[in-house]
Amino acid sequence: MEEVIIAPSILSADFGSLANDVKLIDEAGADWIHLDVMDGHFVPNLTFGPPIIKSIRPYSKKPFDAHLMVTNPDDLLEEYVAAGVDIITVHKEVTPHLDRTLARIRNLGCKAGVSINPGTSLSGLEFLLEKLDLILIMSVNPGFGGQSFINSSIDKITAVRDLVSCKPINIQVDGGVNNVIAPQVIKAGANVLVAGSAIFSGSDIESYQKNIASLRCKT
């Protein structure tokens, strides 16, 4: 069994002390820092972009995992790279030339991911596996934190696991993940868990350590 990677979503952090929260979750055992970028168009919420990411980059050496929930990801890829991200994930639903976009992300020096909404099929991904480092299964409809896990996501995770087979592609799940859901998605094949409110409950490093550790349990 692969090691489980925990990627806290700073969408649930305290934006008034964001740098400090990033530092705390790093020290508490986070493997990646997950950045939910929302544009108010593809999803109804608006979060942050390259300037904020750049401002918090000095507070962690962990991989910065940027999930671009935006209608025009191709327009700002260089800015995200310059801000210090390590992984860039774009949505299958909005990227007309996905093969080209993934190749460009890799050419810019980042790992490339594709995200699939709950109502989106996996069709076509079989032709892109050589350009993918990560497939993100959205287990809620994107746009807001604190939503409940959509149970049909388990079947989709299993289908992605079968599609990926032995290829070195991370399978990430995002939405409603807590210590009850985590063992289910790990069993289905996910190895990267994004969690927001399940990690940022409490406000100190001890709470974050406990919450992160609870998500690693496989039973």
Side-chain angles (χ1 to χ4, degrees):
M1 176 73 72
E2 289 183 84
E3 280 299 310
V4 176
I5 294 169
I6 305 298
S9 168
I10 64 168
L11 185 63
S12 296
D14 179 356
F15 274 45
S17 57
L18 187 56
N20 185 60
D21 266 4
V22 168
K23 183 173 182 290
L24 287 178
I25 57 171
D26 179 315
E27 295 173 353
D31 300 299
W32 297 357
I33 308 299
H34 189 77
L35 310 167
D36 282 311
V37 177
M38 304 181 188
D39 65 356
H41 297 281
F42 178 57
V43 293
N45 207 350
L46 183 67
T47 57
F48 50 81
I52 296 297
I53 295 171
K54 184 176 181 179
S55 74
I56 61 174
R57 179 71 270 195
Y59 294 89
S60 174
K61 293 183 179 180
K62 302 289 176 62
F64 269 26
D65 170 32
H67 174 198
L68 305 188
M69 287 171 273
V70 303
T71 56
N72 59 337
D74 294 282
D75 292 350
L76 290 172
L77 292 178
E78 287 86 356
E79 283 82 353
Y80 285 103
V81 174
V85 305
D86 302 282
I87 306 159
I88 297 178
T89 297
V90 297
H91 267 264
K92 182 175 186 277
E93 298 86 5
V94 299
T95 311
H97 304 291
L98 189 51
D99 181 274
R100 181 188 301 165
T101 300
L102 296 172
R104 187 169 160 223
I105 291 169
R106 282 185 161 188
N107 287 339
L108 289 168
C110 287
K111 292 185 176 180
V114 64
S115 184
I116 308 293
N117 278 344
T120 299
S121 80
L122 304 180
S123 176
L125 292 189
E126 65 271 22
F127 303 114
L128 299 168
L129 297 179
E130 298 304 320
K131 290 188 173 73
L132 280 170
D133 300 291
L134 180 147
I135 297 174
L136 167 54
I137 298 98
M138 288 300 302
S139 46
V140 299
N141 289 294
F144 297 96
Q147 298 183 67
S148 297
F149 183 84
I150 296 174
N151 290 327
S152 60
S153 304
I154 295 291
D155 292 336
K156 186 173 281 189
I157 294 166
T158 301
V160 170
R161 180 195 63 196
D162 293 342
L163 176 67
V164 166
S165 186
C166 296
K167 294 180 176 61
I169 298 174
N170 288 299
I171 300 174
Q172 185 177 65
V173 61
D174 182 359
V177 175
N178 54 34
N179 60 358
V180 175
I181 297 295
Q184 300 175 45
V185 299
I186 293 168
K187 182 178 180 181
N191 72 301
V192 184
L193 308 187
V194 176
S197 53
I199 289 175
F200 285 98
S201 61
S203 58
D204 54 46
I205 191 168
E206 289 79 14
S207 298
Y208 297 162
Q209 285 174 331
K210 180 180 177 182
N211 296 338
I212 289 171
S214 73
L215 295 178
R216 296 192 193 276
C217 296
K218 298 173 184 178
T219 57

